[in-house]
C-alpha cells in the first residue's frame, strides 16, 4: 500500500523527487507543483536549507580564501610603524601644513592637492581604528599622541604664517571648508574604506587617491587661519570638518579590520558597549552635518524657484542673461539681467512678492531689463545697456561678497552687515572675541580695507579697555607710543566715546593735541606717571 501510494504520488507529480523514509525532505530535493499545505511547508523548508547552504559556503570562502590570505601580524606591524611620532612624521606634517595654508591663501587648488599628498596624518588615523579593533590600548595611545601633536603642530604653523601674512582674505578655497555637510561624512566613509582596504591588502597605490579625497590637512590649515584672524565661524566650521574626517575614517578602519578578522580581547558585553558607542558617535556627527546639507539643498531649490519665477513673469519671451543670489539668515538678495522685447514696469515688486511667498523669506530683487529690438540702433542700445547691467551686477556681487567676508570677520550673521553701495561704505558691529583687544579689531578692519580700496570699511568693536600706556622719550612719542595713540584714536572714532588722558601734563597735552587734530574728543587730567588713556566718565 505504501509503495503503491508513493508510486502513485510520484506518477501524479513526475517533477517531484520522492521523500526519504521518515518523511523529512532532502535539502537538495526539487519540488514541482505544490497541491497541498504539507508540500508548501516542505518547499519552504527546502528553500531555507538552500539559503543556509549559500550563506555557509560564503562564510567558508570568506574565512579561508579572504581572511586566510591576510597576514595579520605583518599588517599590524606596518600600521604600528606608521603611527610612530618620528622626526620624519613631524617634518612632513609641518611641510604639508605650510603648503596647504599658502595654497588656501592663494586659492590655488593645485597647491592644496600637493599638501594633501604630503600629509602623513592618514597613518595615525587608520592606526586608531586598528588599535580599537584589536583592543590594543598601548597602540591606541601611541596613535592618539602622534595625531594630537601632528594636528597641534599643523595648526600652530598655519596660525603663524597667517598672522604674519599681509594676505588674510577669505578665499573660495577657505570658505569651502567652513560649511561641512553630510556629503563630507560620506566622502570620509568611502575614503576610509578604500584606505583601510588598501592597507590591509597591500594596495599602496590607492593611498594617493584616498589622501586627495579625504583632504585632512586643508581643514587643519583653515583652523589655523580662523585662529589667526580671530574668526570663530571659520575656526569652528573647519574644525568640525576635520573631526568628521578623522572620526569617520578611524571608525571605518575599525569596521573593516573587524571584517577581515582582526580580533581583540574584549568580552561580548564589552564588544556590545564598544559597538554602541561607535554608532552613537556616527549619529552625533550626522546630525549637524545633515542640518547643513538641508540648508544647502534649500538654497539649491531656492535658486531654481527664483529662475522659474523671473522667466515666467516675462511669459517666456525674455532671456535671463545673468543671475546672482545671496542668501542671509532672514532674507534673500537677488540681482538679475533680463533681455526682453517689452519692458515691464512693476516686474521687481511683483516677482519679489511672489518669491517671498514661495520661499517664506523676505526677497530683495533688482532686475536690470534690457529691451531688445530689431534695428541696428536698438541692438547697439541693448548692447550698451547690457554692459551697464553687467557692471551693476558685478558691483552688486562684489558688495555681497564684501558683506559675507565682514560677517565672517565680525562673527555675526550677514544680515547684520550694513552695505551702502551708493556711498561705498560697509559697516558691521563685531561680537566680543575672547582675548581680542582694540588693536586686533583694528588690524582686521585694515586687512579687509586693503582689499577694497574704493570702499570705506568700518568694523565697530565692543567697548573694552584702551591700550595700557602711551610711551614718550626725550624726543617725544616713541614708535610704540604712536602706535598706541593710533589704536586709541581708532577706538574713539568707532565707538563715538570721548577720551581722558592722565599723566605728565606736557606729554598728555601733546598726545591730546594729536587726537584733537584727528577729530577725537579728549580731556586732560594732569597727574604723576606715564600717560594713560581711558574712557571719559569712568
Amino acid at each position: 500500500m505504501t509503495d503503491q501510494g508513493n508510486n502513485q504520488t510520484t506518477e501524479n507529480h513526475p517533477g517531484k523527487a520522492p521523500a526519504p523514509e521518515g518523511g523529512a525532505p532532502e535539502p537538495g530535493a526539487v519540488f514541482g507543483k505544490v497541491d497541498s499545505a504539507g508540500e508548501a511547508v516542505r518547499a519552504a523548508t527546502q528553500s531555507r536549507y538552500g539559503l543556509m547552504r549559500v550563506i555557509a559556503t560564503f562564510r567558508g570562502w570568506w574565512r579561508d580564501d579572504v581572511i586566510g590570505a591576510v597576514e595579520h601580524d605583518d599588517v599590524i606591524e606596518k600600521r604600528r610603524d606608521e603611527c610612530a611620532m618620528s622626526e620624519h612624521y613631524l617634518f612632513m606634517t609641518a611641510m604639508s601644513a605650510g603648503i596647504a595654508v599658502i595654497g588656501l591663501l592663494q586659492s590655488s587648488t593645485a597647491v592644496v592637492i600637493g599638501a594633501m599628498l604630503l600629509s602623513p596624518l592618514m597613518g595615525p588615523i587608520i592606526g586608531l581604528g586598528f588599535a580599537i579593533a584589536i583592543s590594543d590600548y598601548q597602540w591606541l595611545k601611541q596613535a592618539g599622541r602622534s595625531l594630537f601633536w601632528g594636528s597641534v603642530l599643523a595648526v600652530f604653523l598655519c596660525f603663524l604664517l597667517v598672522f604674519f601674512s599681509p594676505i588674510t582674505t577669505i578665499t573660495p578655497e577657505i570658505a569651502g571648508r567652513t560649511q561641512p555637510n553630510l556629503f563630507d561624512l560620506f566622502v570620509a566613509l568611502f575614503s576610509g574604506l578604500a584606505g583601510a582596504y588598501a592597507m590591509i591588502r597591500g594596495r599602496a597605490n590607492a593611498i594617493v587617491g584616498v589622501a586627495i579625497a579625504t583632504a585632512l590637512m586643508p581643514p587643519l590649515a583653515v583652523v589655523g587661519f580662523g585662529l589667526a584672524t580671530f574668526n570663530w565661524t571659520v575656526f569652528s566650521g573647519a574644525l568640525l570638518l576635520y573631526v568628521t574626517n578623522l572620526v569617520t575614517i578611524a571608525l571605518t578602519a575599525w569596521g573593516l579590520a573587524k571584517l577581515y578578522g582582526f580580533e581583540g580581547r574584549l568580552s561580548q558585553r564589552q564588544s556590545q558597549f564598544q559597538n554602541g558607542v561607535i554608532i552613537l558617535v556616527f549619529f552625533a556627527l550626522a546630525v549637524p552635518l545633515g542640518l547643513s546639507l538641508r540648508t544647502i539643498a534649500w538654497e539649491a531649490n531656492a535658486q531654481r524657484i527664483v529662475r522659474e519665477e523671473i522667466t515666467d513673469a516675462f511669459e517666456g519671451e525674455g532671456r535671463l542673461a545673468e543671475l546672482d543670489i545671496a542668501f542671509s539668515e532672514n532674507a534673500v538678495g537677488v540681482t538679475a539681467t533680463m533681455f526682453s522685447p517689452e519692458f515691464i514696469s512693476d516686474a521687481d515688486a511683483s516677482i519679489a512678492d511672489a518669491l517671498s511667498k514661495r520661499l517664506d523669506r523676505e526677497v530683495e530683487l533688482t532686475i536690470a531689463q534690457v529691451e531688445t529690438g530689431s534695428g541696428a540702433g536698438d541692438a547697439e542700445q541693448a548692447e550698451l545697456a547690457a554692459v551697464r547691467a553687467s557692471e551693476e551686477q558685478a558691483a552688486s556681487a562684489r558688495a555681497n561678497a564684501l558683506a559675507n567676508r565682514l560677517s565672517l570677520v565680525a562673527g555675526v550673521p550677514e544680515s547684520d552687515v550694513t552695505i551702502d553701495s551708493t556711498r561705498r561704505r560697509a559697516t558691521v558691529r563685531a561680537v566680543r572675541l575672547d582675548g581680542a583687544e582694540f588693536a586686533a579689531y583694528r588690524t582686521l578692519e585694515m586687512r579687509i580695507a586693503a582689499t577694497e580700496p574704493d570702499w570705506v570699511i568700518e568694523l565697530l568693536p565692543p567697548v573694552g579697555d584702551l591700550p595700557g600706556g602711551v610711551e614718550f622719550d626725550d624726543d617725544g612719542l616713541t614708535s610704540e607710543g604712536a602706535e598706541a595713540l593710533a589704536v586709541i584714536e581708532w577706538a574713539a572714532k568707532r565707538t563715538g566715546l570721548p577720551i581722558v588722558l592722565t599723566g605728565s601734563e606736557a606729554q598728555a597735552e601733546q598726545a591730546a593735541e594729536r587726537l584733537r587734530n584727528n577729530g577725537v574728543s579728549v580731556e586732560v587730567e594732569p597727574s604723576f606717571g606715564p600717560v594713560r588713556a581711558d574712557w571719559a566718565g569712568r
Side-chain angles (χ1 to χ4, degrees):
M1 291 293 293
T2 305
D3 293 338
Q4 290 178 358
N6 287 341
N7 291 336
Q8 184 177 359
T9 305
T10 304
E11 289 173 2
N12 292 338
H13 306 286
K16 179 173 76 72
E21 290 186 20
E26 296 229 2
V30 179
F31 291 91
K33 183 179 178 182
V34 176
D35 290 333
S36 66
E39 289 190 0
V41 171
R42 286 196 296 273
T45 304
Q46 169 62 25
S47 176
R48 187 183 69 211
Y49 285 155
L51 178 61
M52 291 173 62
R53 187 161 59 181
V54 170
I55 294 175
T57 302
F58 177 79
R59 292 178 64 182
W61 168 78
W62 186 267
R63 182 185 62 250
D64 299 333
D65 296 344
V66 178
I67 296 179
V70 176
E71 297 292 339
H72 292 72
D73 293 338
D74 291 344
V75 172
I76 290 175
E77 184 178 353
K78 290 179 181 178
R79 301 291 77 77
R80 285 184 191 274
D81 292 341
E82 292 174 354
C83 295
M85 191 171 63
S86 61
E87 176 188 353
H88 171 78
Y89 169 77
L90 293 176
F91 178 78
M92 294 303 292
T93 299
M95 296 303 99
S96 175
I99 294 173
V101 74
I102 292 172
L104 292 170
L105 291 174
Q106 293 181 330
S107 198
S108 172
T109 304
V111 176
V112 174
I113 290 176
M116 300 176 195
L117 296 177
L118 286 180
S119 173
L121 294 174
M122 181 67 79
I125 294 176
I126 295 287
L128 285 175
F130 278 87
I132 296 172
I134 67 173
S135 306
D136 189 333
Y137 291 103
Q138 290 299 322
W139 186 8
L140 185 66
K141 288 196 300 184
Q142 178 193 26
R145 183 169 57 249
S146 297
L147 185 60
F148 174 78
W149 287 113
S151 302
V152 169
L153 174 64
V155 171
F156 180 69
L157 180 60
C158 293
F159 168 84
L160 290 179
L161 289 174
V162 174
F163 189 79
F164 291 106
S165 170
I167 303 174
T168 55
T169 305
I170 298 177
T171 63
E173 286 286 341
I174 294 174
R177 290 171 173 85
T178 60
Q179 293 181 321
N181 57 64
L182 199 58
F183 285 148
D184 294 303
L185 186 144
F186 285 120
V187 169
L189 176 66
F190 295 130
S191 300
L193 286 171
Y197 175 80
M199 292 182 176
I200 291 173
R201 303 297 290 174
R203 307 292 194 269
N205 57 337
I207 300 298
V208 173
V210 173
I212 295 175
T214 51
L216 291 165
M217 185 55 71
L220 270 184
V222 178
V223 171
F225 177 92
L227 281 178
T229 56
F230 303 102
N231 193 315
W232 170 248
T233 303
V234 171
F235 172 83
S236 59
L239 185 61
L240 177 59
L241 177 58
Y242 177 66
V243 171
T244 298
N245 289 341
L246 185 158
V247 174
T248 305
I249 292 171
L251 297 186
T252 303
W254 163 84
L256 207 61
K258 283 287 190 182
L259 190 63
Y260 272 87
F262 290 82
E263 296 293 339
R265 295 183 295 276
L266 296 178
S267 66
Q268 183 178 2
R269 185 174 180 180
Q270 290 173 325
S271 296
Q272 291 175 348
F273 176 76
Q274 185 186 78
N275 295 344
V277 170
I278 289 170
I279 293 173
L280 184 63
V281 169
F282 265 119
F283 274 104
L285 286 174
V287 169
L289 297 175
L291 293 175
S292 178
L293 179 60
R294 180 182 176 186
T295 301
I296 293 174
W298 185 90
E299 291 180 356
N301 186 53
Q303 290 178 344
R304 179 189 62 79
I305 291 174
V306 169
R307 186 178 294 273
E308 180 182 295
E309 284 289 340
I310 294 176
T311 304
D312 291 348
F314 288 84
E315 299 179 351
E317 297 181 359
R319 181 172 65 86
L320 187 59
E322 295 183 14
L323 179 65
D324 183 72
I325 305 176
F327 295 96
S328 61
E329 187 174 354
N330 299 315
V332 179
V334 180
T335 56
T337 301
M338 194 73 183
F339 290 90
S340 174
E342 183 179 354
F343 183 86
I344 302 178
S345 59
D346 60 343
D348 289 21
S350 61
I351 297 174
D353 184 60
L355 287 174
S356 298
K357 292 178 180 178
R358 293 189 65 179
L359 300 178
D360 196 25
R361 286 194 188 181
E362 181 183 351
V363 176
E364 299 174 358
L365 176 65
T366 302
I367 300 180
Q369 299 184 50
V370 181
E371 292 187 73
T372 57
S374 56
D378 292 334
E380 183 179 353
Q381 184 178 3
E383 185 176 352
L384 292 174
V387 171
R388 287 195 298 270
S390 178
E391 291 176 350
E392 291 176 1
Q393 190 166 359
S396 176
R398 186 171 182 179
N400 290 334
L402 176 59
N404 178 260
R405 287 163 53 203
L406 282 174
S407 69
L408 291 173
V409 166
V412 299
E414 193 171 330
S415 57
D416 290 351
V417 181
T418 302
I419 297 290
D420 186 347
S421 299
T422 304
R423 299 180 180 180
R424 292 185 177 273
R425 179 183 294 273
T427 306
V428 62
R429 186 171 298 279
V431 298
R432 187 175 299 279
L433 302 174
D434 292 339
E437 299 177 346
F438 282 118
Y441 293 103
R442 177 171 174 260
T443 300
L444 290 174
E445 181 189 277
M446 292 171 63
R447 287 172 175 173
I448 295 291
T451 64
E452 302 291 344
D454 298 333
W455 284 72
V456 176
I457 309 297
E458 291 185 346
L459 179 65
L460 308 181
V463 177
D465 294 331
L466 292 169
V470 181
E471 297 183 8
F472 284 79
D473 57 18
D474 295 339
D475 297 327
L477 272 172
T478 64
S479 57
E480 292 82 2
E483 179 64 22
L485 207 58
V487 173
I488 293 168
E489 175 191 332
W490 179 85
K493 288 181 177 180
R494 294 296 177 268
T495 60
L497 298 176
I499 301 293
V500 58
L501 296 178
T502 59
S504 169
E505 184 175 3
Q507 294 177 349
E509 283 292 349
Q510 182 180 344
E513 186 65 21
R514 186 164 178 171
L515 291 174
R516 291 190 187 103
N517 291 337
N518 292 322
V520 177
S521 176
V522 188
E523 299 177 10
V524 175
E525 295 182 359
S527 65
F528 295 102
V531 176
R532 300 183 63 86
D534 202 352
W535 301 111
R538 280 196 175 185

